Structures are given as C-alpha cells and as structure tokens.
C-alpha cells in the first residue's frame, strides 16, 4: 500500500473564487509542489500518474458532516472533465451528481449535530479511454446505519425518505402502500 499526497481542506462555508476554469488551467500540467496546495493539485497528480503509469488511481475524500466532501468530489470531477477535454466535459459531473438528491433522501437523516447528515458512503469510479478522456462513471452507495430504520436516538430522526413518503401518503399512486402520517407510526417515525 502506497499513500500519496494528503491535502487538508477546510470548508469556508461560502463560495471562493478559487475553483473556476482559470484556476483549473493554472494547475493543469503543473508538478506537485509548484503551486499552492489545492484539490486541483491532487487531481492533477492523480491524472498524470494514471496517464504516465497506465494504472488506476484513487482519491479519498473524507471528513465530518458539513466538511465539504461532496463539493470537493464535484470539483475533482470537473477538473478531470476539463483537463481531459472530454467531449461531454462538465456534463459527466452533472450526470453523476444528478443522483445526489435521491441518494440523500434515502441515506441522509437528522442527527443531533446536523439536520441533513449523510449516513452513507459513496464510491465513484470514473472511466477513461486510451486517450484519457472520460467515457463514463459509476457510483455505488453504502448505507452505513441500517439500524436507524428501526431505532433512532433521542432528538434524531429516521432517513428523510420515510418522512417524504408519509407526506405523500394521500397521493393516489401511493395508496397501495397503506402509509399513515409520520406521527401515527411512533416506532419508525419519532
């Protein structure tokens, strides 16, 4: 096991002008350490290593709730799409992230620290062709807290999808599910 570059990034909780196309092009082709530490520097190094050694690369994005993991992954995908000059360009990023609202409804829940806390892990695999252009992506999600379906700690809630389904209980297409209001189902919906 070889561990490469480690970047510690902090979520500023506001948009900064350090993620645009001009910054992407500034990091493209640069050697690690020639420029300031940045998510684009990590992405560039992975991209160069993939092209140079013809070997798969991994970027692990980890952190606490609200740390900016999804945004960092989005910037990385946009970087790859831009530097690889993929015909679909940033549309790959959009397509992969389009599943996010559904994934979050099924895998996010209210915790004591965050009203929209991810309770799942994501593995996104980006595929490149022989000329290192993006040709597709595959996302796998892993539910980490299956016990939350039947039990929640005090001041916490079940996965958002249960409340969304109960809120739609009166819709004709959901009648066969025999859903009630969330307040009527104390075990699953505190």
């Amino acid at each position: 096991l070889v561990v490469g570059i480690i970047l510690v990034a902090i979520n500023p909780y506001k948009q900064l002008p350090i993620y645009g196309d001009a910054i992407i092009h500034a990091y493209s082709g640069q050697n690690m350490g020639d420029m300031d530490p940045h998510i684009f520097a990590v992405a560039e190094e992975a991209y160069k290593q993939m092209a140079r050694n013809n070997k798969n690369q991994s970027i692990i994005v980890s952190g606490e709730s609200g740390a900016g993991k999804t945004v960092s992954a989005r910037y990385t995908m946009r970087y790859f799409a831009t530097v690889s000059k993929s015909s679909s360009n940033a549309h790959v990023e959009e397509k992969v992230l389009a599943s996010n609202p559904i994934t979050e409804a099924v895998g996010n829940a209210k915790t004591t620290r965050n009203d929209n806390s991810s309770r799942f892990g994501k593995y996104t695999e980006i595929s490149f062709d022989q000329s290192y252009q993006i040709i597709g992506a595959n996302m796998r999600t892993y539910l980490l807290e299956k016990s939350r379906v039947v039990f929640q700690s005090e001041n916490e809630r079940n996965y958002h999808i249960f409340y969304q389904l109960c809120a739609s209980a009166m819709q004709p297409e959901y009648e066969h599910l025999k859903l009630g209001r969330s307040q009527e189902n104390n075990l699953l919906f505190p």
Side-chain angles (χ1 to χ4, degrees), residues 28-179:
S28 180
Q30 298 295 320
N31 292 318
M32 181 57 70
D34 287 352
M35 298 188 65
D36 291 339
H38 196 288
I39 190 69
F40 293 159
V42 173
E44 173 62 21
E45 187 64 19
Y47 187 76
K48 281 197 315 195
Q49 291 293 330
M50 175 190 65
R52 183 181 304 138
N53 300 327
N54 201 29
K55 288 190 177 182
N56 294 336
Q57 300 294 306
S58 294
I59 297 176
I60 298 171
V61 181
S62 178
E64 288 195 22
S65 182
K69 296 177 295 294
T70 301
V71 174
S72 292
R74 179 180 299 145
Y75 287 142
T76 302
M77 285 185 267
R78 197 168 104 229
Y79 186 86
F80 291 144
T82 302
V83 300
S84 71
K85 297 175 180 61
S86 296
S87 58
S88 57
N89 206 342
H91 299 296
V92 170
E93 166 205 357
E94 292 168 14
K95 288 176 184 175
V96 170
L97 294 172
S99 66
N100 230 32
I102 296 167
T103 306
E104 287 191 5
V106 174
N108 285 19
K110 178 183 184 261
T111 66
T112 56
R113 295 180 65 191
N114 185 340
D115 286 347
N116 193 33
S117 182
S118 298
R119 314 316 300 155
F120 63 94
K122 274 192 267 192
Y123 176 77
T124 304
E125 183 177 80
I126 301 173
S127 301
F128 295 85
D129 63 13
Q130 293 81 8
S131 57
Y132 308 109
Q133 290 188 330
I134 295 175
I135 56 172
N138 184 25
M139 183 188 296
R140 294 183 202 122
T141 57
Y142 301 92
L143 195 57
L144 303 176
E145 277 188 8
K146 294 176 184 173
S147 62
R148 184 173 290 276
V149 173
V150 294
F151 171 80
Q152 302 87 42
S153 298
E154 189 175 340
N155 297 321
E156 294 197 352
R157 287 176 39 136
N158 206 320
Y159 293 103
H160 297 328
I161 191 70
F162 291 109
Y163 303 99
Q164 292 166 345
L165 284 170
C166 286
S168 301
M170 299 320 216
Q171 299 293 323
E173 60 266 26
Y174 296 117
E175 283 181 7
H176 70 283
L177 296 177
K178 299 188 180 358
L179 296 168

